[in-house]
Amino acid sequence: MPTETAARLVAAFAWAMAVSVPLMAGLMRRRGLTPVLRLSGALLLGGTLLVAASPWLPAALLGRAAQAAGGAGLVAAAMSLAGSARRMGVISAGFGMLGAAGPLLGAQLSHAVSWRLSLSVSLLSLLALPAVGRHAAVTAPPTAPRSRFDARGAALLTVLATALVLLPHAPAAALGSASAAVVAVAVAALAVVAVAVALLALHVRRRPDGFVPAALVRSPLFLGSALLALALSTSYFTLLFAVPRLLADRAGWDVTAAGAGQLVALLTGSALSWLLAAASACLGRTAVRAVLVTLGALAALLAVFASWGPLLLVATLGGVFGATGANAVLSMQAASSVPAPQRPTAIGLFSLCYQLGGAFGPAIATALVLGGA
């Protein structure tokens, strides 16, 4: 697959995933879990068929975005059904481990068969939908009272999420180019974010029970949980892209050794994060946050100052441990900050903050490490 094509497919997936999680959570809040599962399954199936069969890149991009939207619905459903930090820890650890092993599996499938097959593996998740649907019929969280759909709030949030996903790439490009056009794009991206934030804030004041509930925006527990998750996620994705280059530049490791070492670190850190989630009820909220902040800071410091290969891998381990642990524990804290009918929305907006780390992290790595290559 050409590099440019791969970059476009990755960008389409990342954008659709970030935008779709709060939208799917909003649908769950109004309609319940079963319609979200059905829509997610249809999007995954249709998107995979487009990716697998379409000879045109625009159609393949549309299919990849549909896959991401379907996956976002399944993520929102899983997080809503978790119900406890322990269960959410299993889910987050699984996400981390699959995220670590996924590129290796995809590369093998792409080399042996086709890149289209490597982008169709997510179809296997459909096998679990019947069982999840039966479970959801019994244990689904309560829905909010029916009211007129807040289309304006949903549109403003979508615009804001899109601008935030695109924002890191414009300044990164501007740093490496004196082109007036590139600088103009960066300024335009910042302007869109500022306008979207202002309009959304005004809309929340007019409609406090809308798509973005005012109770969430005003909750210190939700805001603290979401912002800490954003910081830890951004740190993790920065390390994910920067450490392989640091292993080569500082420790002299080749690509194979760096890839194998990072895979082991990612799998280990993801698995260990479940221990924090399992112990979170005993540790208490303050202690858990102290552990997350400490590990995140240590991971960043190791990445900045360490020159020994194993220590750089420890930085990766600490980064993924902090991010997956935050996703497990802080998501439950964020959801507990509002009444039960609004919890899907809280989880959706929390997940959006976490996903934004996947947009910010690579741009930071490019500006600080990879851009100097």
Side-chain angles (χ1 to χ4, degrees):
M1 181 196 306
T3 302
E4 184 179 357
T5 299
R8 290 181 179 179
L9 289 170
V10 169
F13 187 90
W15 168 79
M17 175 64 79
V19 169
S20 298
V21 168
L23 294 177
M24 287 293 189
L27 176 62
M28 190 186 310
R29 177 189 171 195
R30 290 176 54 82
R31 301 292 184 181
L33 198 55
T34 300
V36 171
L37 292 175
R38 291 173 179 170
L39 177 59
S40 298
L43 287 169
L44 267 176
L45 180 59
T48 301
L49 291 176
L50 270 178
V51 170
S54 175
W56 302 290
L57 179 58
L61 292 173
L62 179 62
R64 196 65 177 140
Q67 284 182 313
L74 296 183
V75 168
M79 294 177 73
S80 293
L81 288 173
S84 69
R86 181 186 293 268
R87 294 174 183 171
M88 192 59 216
V90 176
I91 295 171
S92 296
F95 286 160
M97 296 176 74
L98 289 174
L104 179 61
L105 174 62
Q108 294 298 322
L109 290 175
S110 181
H111 177 73
V113 185
S114 167
W115 63 267
R116 294 180 185 272
L117 178 63
S118 68
L119 298 181
S120 303
V121 175
S122 59
L123 204 61
L124 294 175
S125 61
L126 296 182
L127 298 176
L129 284 186
V132 175
R134 289 192 296 270
H135 180 71
V138 179
T139 61
T143 58
R146 291 291 180 89
S147 60
R148 183 171 56 88
F149 177 65
D150 183 12
R152 181 177 298 177
L156 287 172
L157 181 64
T158 301
V159 171
L160 176 59
T162 301
L164 287 171
V165 169
L166 297 178
L167 177 61
H169 302 285
L175 288 173
S177 172
S179 169
V182 174
V183 175
V185 169
V187 173
L190 287 170
V192 170
V193 170
V195 171
V197 167
L199 292 177
L200 185 59
L202 290 173
H203 180 74
V204 169
R205 292 186 63 181
R206 291 195 205 99
R207 189 165 179 182
D209 60 342
F211 193 82
V212 180
L216 276 180
V217 179
R218 297 167 183 167
S219 168
L221 177 57
F222 174 81
L223 293 177
S225 300
L227 292 177
L228 180 54
L230 171 61
L232 291 169
S233 174
T234 301
S235 175
Y236 161 57
F237 282 103
T238 301
L239 293 171
L240 183 66
F241 283 84
V243 166
R245 174 57 57 86
L246 296 177
L247 286 170
D249 293 346
R250 298 180 186 175
W253 288 25
D254 59 25
V255 175
T256 302
Q262 187 166 38
L263 176 62
V264 171
L266 291 172
L267 291 174
T268 304
S270 298
L272 290 176
S273 67
W274 178 80
L275 298 177
L276 177 65
S280 61
C282 297
L283 292 174
R285 184 184 302 165
T286 302
V288 167
R289 295 192 178 206
V291 169
L292 291 173
V293 170
T294 301
L295 285 176
L298 287 175
L301 288 173
L302 284 175
V304 172
F305 295 108
S307 57
W308 188 42
L311 280 181
L312 289 170
L313 293 180
V314 170
T316 299
L317 189 153
V320 70
F321 182 97
T324 54
N327 194 36
V329 180
L330 299 183
S331 62
M332 295 297 98
Q333 293 182 8
S336 69
S337 65
V338 292
Q342 292 183 340
R343 286 177 185 172
T345 300
I347 289 174
L349 294 176
F350 175 91
S351 298
L352 172 61
C353 291
Y354 184 88
Q355 293 289 337
L356 287 175
F360 297 156
I364 294 172
T366 299
L368 297 181
V369 178
L370 304 180

